[in-house]
Amino acid sequence: MRKHSKNKKKYLSAIYILWMLVFTIIPLGLVVYFSLTTIDGKFTFENLKNIGEYTPVFLSSIKLSAISTALCLLLGYPFAYIISKVKASKQVIFMIFIMLPMWINFLLRTYAWMTLLENNGIINRLLSFIGIGPVHMINTQGAVVLGMVYNFLPYMIIPIFNVMTKIDKSYIEAAQDLGANNRRVMTRIIFPLSMPGVVSGITMVFVPAVSTFIISTMLGGGSNMMIGDLIELQFLGGSYDPNLGSALSLVLMVLILISMGIMNEFDSGEEDVLAV
Amino acid sequence: MQDTNVVTLENVCVDFGEEKVLDHISLSIKNKEFVTLLGPSGCGKTTTLRIIAGFLEPNSGNIYFEGKNMVGVPPYKRAVNTIFQRYALFPHLNVYENVAFGLRVKKCKEKEIDEKVRKMLKTVNLNGFENRDVSHLSGGQQQRVAIARALINEPKVLLLDEPLSALDLKLRKDMQVELKNIQRETGITFIFVTHDQEEALSMSDTVVVMDNGVIQQIGTPEDIYNEPINAFVADFIGESNIIDGRMLEDYKVLLDGVVFDCVDKGFEKNEAVDVVIRPEDVDVVEPEKGMLKATVTAVTFKGVHFEIIADVQGFKWMIQSTDISYVGDNIGLYIEPDAFHIMKKSKYSGMFGDYSTFSDEMEEIAGISFSEQEDNTDAQA
């Protein structure tokens, strides 16, 4: 019996191993291959060397997504805290409101922001009624950040909320019992204990933000190019160069891995926070 | 009066919706006293503790600390500290920082904190554990950290919410002694919550027996054991045979058709009463020498004595005897006059004290639910 079930497990896992091989390992290998070859398939470091030219794009991508992540944290953390405090029945309603925009197509949402932010868009028309403006909003870095914060905020709130609801109430009571007022309970107990949620929230916002391309194209115009846009151009745009595109992807991936590694450093030793 | 009472509860009521959790609790706790709140789960003992700590506000009634009304004062402003049932040690801080927490919150000087923490860790025998992760400590060590974390604040009153329930028997016994010593040395008032009657009897100066949100009896451990006020207390503290009887006159009680001499008085003539006889106070003798005749239905060897269940006119008694009897033996029971304890009838009459369905398992269940039997047994009385 035991042997049989063991074989069954092996058999089941084989499907996933095959899946990972076909859809993860091989594509990754191809990206590495393309980034180290010319268009004729000859080995070269040229693609990676050329990336230096695009440093400004990398830097602005990292800057914009870092700002967006920070804003998401500033907005999302208090929000997650507030929802974790309300009654369970109300939590459901709050969560639905957070998730609701996510059920609408991403492109449509971003397109809606275009019509809002345009020079003769809805916001500017409203502003003109009270004699202000028009304010130039579309095609600015601010618009890109706004778009990213709007789209990625739920990914910050949900993990923080999840961790917060699992913090044992007795820790908070113990802190109060030892003389900590509400502010001290927040800074010394709740915030440190919610770090795992903060770390995964930052990862879940920063990673998609740094590689996004649609938001920057639609809300940032041509002038606020991000790495995602640059990579898209190499595959689908005018400057067709899959080898350079692969090299860019590879560098981006390494950057993301490094930043995740740094984040995990913050998180180390916190694993048993939730073990009651 | 007021300067010796460190904590006073006055007609405290707490409702959770329809349910009355505390029903007019009034209690005065003296300075340096070791008080135990004892009762089955759901009796309101933990709620009482949370009211004192300030985690819960009463629906009505007052709480005084040394004469000052504490209603509405948040927990962090109260001069009490709590040891939680599962310790609630902060998982993101090491042993040292857990103990230092209260002092850091008070913004004490680093040097003072260091001195006090090290001294406190020495007191609870945790020298050298400063940098340990609290989640890697054993139950007993976690318990010590919790004690150190609370005591370092030098509270007037220490609240302990079933602090020993997570420990194994041997460790529990050791910690009982240790807690009692700490209490004596520091002179801090301890308010201790437990459902373990043995723990309550061996540690406390005063025991408060609670059931259904009502205080049943307050007294020294000896009083509570020897002079239980009703069938609930008699049954909850130790083993008791509780038999329907009638007080014929002072010092004469009738039960099972036999008139016995006793030492109680002050009842109405022919008043129906509950009679408590502790199993260790019943002597097994020859059938013809006994005051009551009984048939043995079960015998269990318990080490120091045999636990004998014997049938007396359809009612099962528990008897503890050092002499062996066998199932089916006809025996006589002999009881000294001072072994009878006579109680007035209460709503608990007839609910306890019969060992016909007795087993160790039943004993544990019995603490939780017993409200249904009330009516039919009252009729017998």
Side-chain angles (χ1 to χ4, degrees):
Chain A
M1 272 307 267
R2 180 170 288 175
K3 201 174 175 196
H4 179 72
S5 69
K6 208 174 174 184
N7 281 340
K8 208 169 174 183
K9 259 186 216 159
K10 230 184 214 170
Y11 174 71
L12 280 172
S13 69
I15 297 172
Y16 294 103
I17 289 168
L18 193 70
W19 176 276
M20 286 196 290
L21 197 71
V22 173
F23 295 105
T24 310
I25 310 292
I26 294 175
L28 265 178
L30 285 174
V31 169
V32 175
Y33 170 78
F34 273 111
S35 60
L36 292 176
T37 50
T38 64
I39 200 124
D40 319 315
K42 287 198 188 97
F43 181 79
T44 177
F45 279 121
E46 273 311 299
N47 299 317
L48 288 169
K49 275 183 196 155
N50 288 341
I51 281 171
E53 291 171 34
Y54 301 101
T55 310
V57 180
F58 271 95
L59 288 179
S60 95
S61 284
I62 290 168
K63 186 185 90 184
L64 290 184
S65 43
I67 292 171
S68 306
T69 309
L71 284 174
C72 278
L73 184 61
L74 284 175
L75 290 171
Y77 193 89
F79 196 59
Y81 176 70
I82 291 164
I83 320 172
S84 75
K85 283 279 169 189
V86 301
K87 267 190 266 165
S89 55
K90 281 191 185 160
Q91 284 180 355
V92 176
I93 298 169
F94 273 116
M95 284 325 258
I96 289 174
F97 275 106
I98 294 167
M99 307 281 265
L100 209 58
M102 294 169 78
W103 298 342
I104 295 162
N105 183 278
F106 180 82
L107 277 176
L108 197 67
R109 272 183 286 156
T110 311
Y111 191 72
W113 273 111
M114 277 176 79
T115 62
L116 282 171
L117 298 175
E118 268 165 1
N119 287 339
N120 53 357
I122 294 166
I123 292 174
N124 270 323
R125 258 184 271 167
L126 284 175
L127 285 176
S128 70
F129 275 119
I130 50 170
I132 308 172
V135 181
H136 178 64
M137 290 178 287
I138 194 81
N139 299 346
T140 59
Q141 292 196 341
V144 177
V145 169
L146 177 71
M148 293 202 286
V149 170
Y150 176 76
N151 278 309
F152 299 132
L153 188 58
Y155 300 104
M156 182 65 83
I157 294 173
I158 292 166
I160 296 176
F161 167 76
N162 278 338
V163 170
M164 275 186 175
T165 50
K166 283 178 200 132
I167 294 177
D168 194 332
K169 267 218 171 73
S170 65
Y171 296 142
I172 293 161
E173 287 186 350
Q176 291 173 334
D177 187 75
L178 294 165
N181 57 22
N182 290 344
R183 194 171 56 85
R184 291 260 164 67
V185 170
M186 190 61 187
T187 54
R188 287 176 184 265
I189 305 297
I190 297 175
F191 189 71
L193 290 182
S194 63
M195 268 316 271
V198 171
V199 167
S200 68
I202 288 175
T203 315
M204 284 175 73
V205 171
F206 183 75
V207 172
V210 79
S211 56
T212 184
F213 61 97
I214 281 295
I215 294 173
S216 45
T217 313
M218 289 173 83
L219 300 176
S223 54
N224 291 295
M225 190 186 262
M226 293 183 63
I227 313 169
D229 301 301
L230 192 61
I231 294 169
E232 193 210 5
L233 276 179
Q234 309 313 316
F235 290 94
L236 302 170
S239 56
Y240 180 77
D241 187 350
N243 300 86
L244 179 64
S246 299
L248 286 166
S249 303
L250 196 66
V251 172
L252 180 60
M253 195 179 79
V254 170
L255 284 177
I256 289 172
L257 282 176
I258 290 170
S259 53
M260 278 173 70
I262 294 168
M263 286 312 295
N264 281 335
E265 271 306 299
F266 279 101
D267 199 20
S268 64
E270 303 278 341
E271 309 89 54
D272 28 39
V273 162
L274 298 179
V276 180
Chain B
M1 233 339 237
Q2 271 191 342
D3 50 359
T4 53
N5 283 342
V6 62
V7 175
T8 308
L9 302 186
E10 189 182 86
N11 283 321
V12 169
C13 293
V14 173
D15 312 323
F16 292 163
E18 289 288 285
E19 195 190 347
K20 268 206 163 116
V21 182
L22 292 183
D23 191 359
H24 293 91
I25 295 288
S26 292
L27 179 63
S28 292
I29 292 163
K30 289 194 196 72
N31 200 12
K32 303 191 176 185
E33 198 175 15
F34 195 123
V35 179
T36 300
L37 306 179
L38 174 66
S41 49
C43 74
K45 55 193 191 299
T46 297
T47 309
T48 309
L49 206 68
R50 292 175 62 81
I51 289 269
I52 298 171
F55 299 132
L56 202 67
E57 288 293 335
N59 295 70
S60 65
N62 290 308
I63 313 140
Y64 299 97
F65 286 4
E66 298 180 315
K68 249 196 274 167
N69 198 332
M70 283 288 130
V71 172
V73 176
Y76 67 87
K77 287 187 180 160
R78 297 194 184 194
V80 296
N81 284 116
T82 308
I83 292 178
F84 292 83
Q85 189 165 11
R86 286 155 81 204
Y87 319 135
L89 300 178
F90 304 127
H92 58 300
L93 301 177
N94 62 18
V95 170
Y96 183 97
E97 286 302 323
N98 260 284
V99 177
F101 191 90
L103 299 179
R104 289 213 190 284
V105 165
K106 272 186 224 131
K107 302 228 183 261
C108 291
K109 290 216 172 66
E110 195 60 43
K111 199 175 152 231
E112 188 193 346
I113 293 176
D114 195 63
E115 246 166 53
K116 283 191 176 175
V117 171
R118 284 181 202 285
K119 198 177 147 221
M120 190 47 75
L121 285 175
K122 205 177 259 174
T123 315
V124 295
N125 285 324
L126 281 177
N127 244 350
F129 281 72
E130 285 84 354
N131 297 319
R132 292 282 191 96
D133 193 342
V134 288
S135 57
H136 296 155
L137 299 179
S138 71
Q141 290 163 340
Q142 290 189 12
Q143 169 87 77
R144 285 159 204 276
V145 177
I147 293 169
R149 188 178 68 171
L151 287 180
I152 201 163
N153 304 293
E154 294 162 12
K156 272 257 158 201
V157 180
L158 188 67
L159 310 175
L160 303 99
D161 185 6
E162 307 219 18
L164 308 179
S165 60
L167 305 178
D168 60 60
L169 187 67
K170 177 81 175 62
L171 200 54
R172 195 155 70 215
K173 297 270 177 214
D174 294 346
M175 285 308 291
Q176 282 178 11
V177 176
E178 211 162 315
L179 277 176
K180 186 75 200 165
N181 286 340
I182 289 173
Q183 195 260 336
R184 235 178 258 136
E185 281 161 24
T186 56
I188 294 172
T189 308
F190 273 36
I191 306 178
F192 188 95
V193 160
T194 184
H195 61 268
D196 183 338
Q197 44 105 4
E198 206 185 307
E199 204 164 274
L201 293 181
S202 61
M203 294 173 81
S204 328
D205 301 319
T206 304
V207 179
V208 179
V209 185
M210 295 179 72
D211 184 47
N212 274 329
V214 178
I215 293 180
Q216 302 293 331
Q217 190 171 2
I218 303 176
T220 63
E222 291 85 355
D223 285 348
I224 299 272
Y225 188 83
N226 293 329
E227 307 283 331
I229 200 156
N230 60 30
F232 174 80
V233 178
D235 181 77
F236 198 78
I237 315 292
E239 301 289 349
S240 301
N241 300 297
I242 305 171
I243 297 123
D244 285 327
R246 203 137 47 79
M247 218 45 198
L248 298 178
E249 56 187 85
D250 284 354
Y251 312 119
K252 293 274 182 227
V253 62
L254 172 80
L255 57 97
D256 289 335
V258 182
V259 179
F260 291 89
D261 291 329
C262 65
V263 295
D264 297 71
K265 60 174 170 108
F267 293 85
E268 305 270 325
K269 260 191 194 286
N270 283 323
E271 185 177 340
V273 290
D274 287 331
V275 182
V276 179
I277 301 149
R278 296 287 184 184
E280 68 270 22
D281 292 336
V282 182
D283 290 330
V284 177
V285 294
E286 302 287 314
E288 54 276 10
K289 287 182 191 156
M291 302 156 128
L292 287 168
K293 288 188 173 37
T295 314
V296 175
T297 60
V299 179
T300 316
F301 179 59
K302 289 279 180 181
V304 281
H305 57 73
F306 293 96
E307 197 170 87
I308 300 163
I309 305 295
D311 186 311
V312 181
Q313 298 173 26
F315 194 91
K316 298 282 198 296
W317 291 44
M318 179 190 276
I319 300 155
Q320 289 165 358
S321 168
T322 47
D323 301 319
I324 189 161
S325 302
Y326 298 96
V327 175
D329 279 0
N330 287 314
I331 54 172
L333 305 182
Y334 179 82
I335 307 153
E336 296 280 347
D338 64 359
F340 294 98
H341 171 64
I342 316 288
M343 307 182 299
K344 290 211 178 268
K345 285 282 178 190
S346 69
K347 67 167 185 154
Y348 294 107
S349 296
M351 289 162 62
F352 304 106
D354 175 16
Y355 289 92
S356 54
T357 51
F358 178 74
S359 73
D360 286 337
E361 271 167 77
M362 285 300 291
E363 175 85 321
E364 277 173 22
I365 302 162
I368 302 161
S369 66
F370 40 68
S371 45
E372 264 84 50
Q373 314 158 322
E374 212 170 282
D375 294 339
N376 53 22
T377 40
D378 264 1
Q380 290 173 15

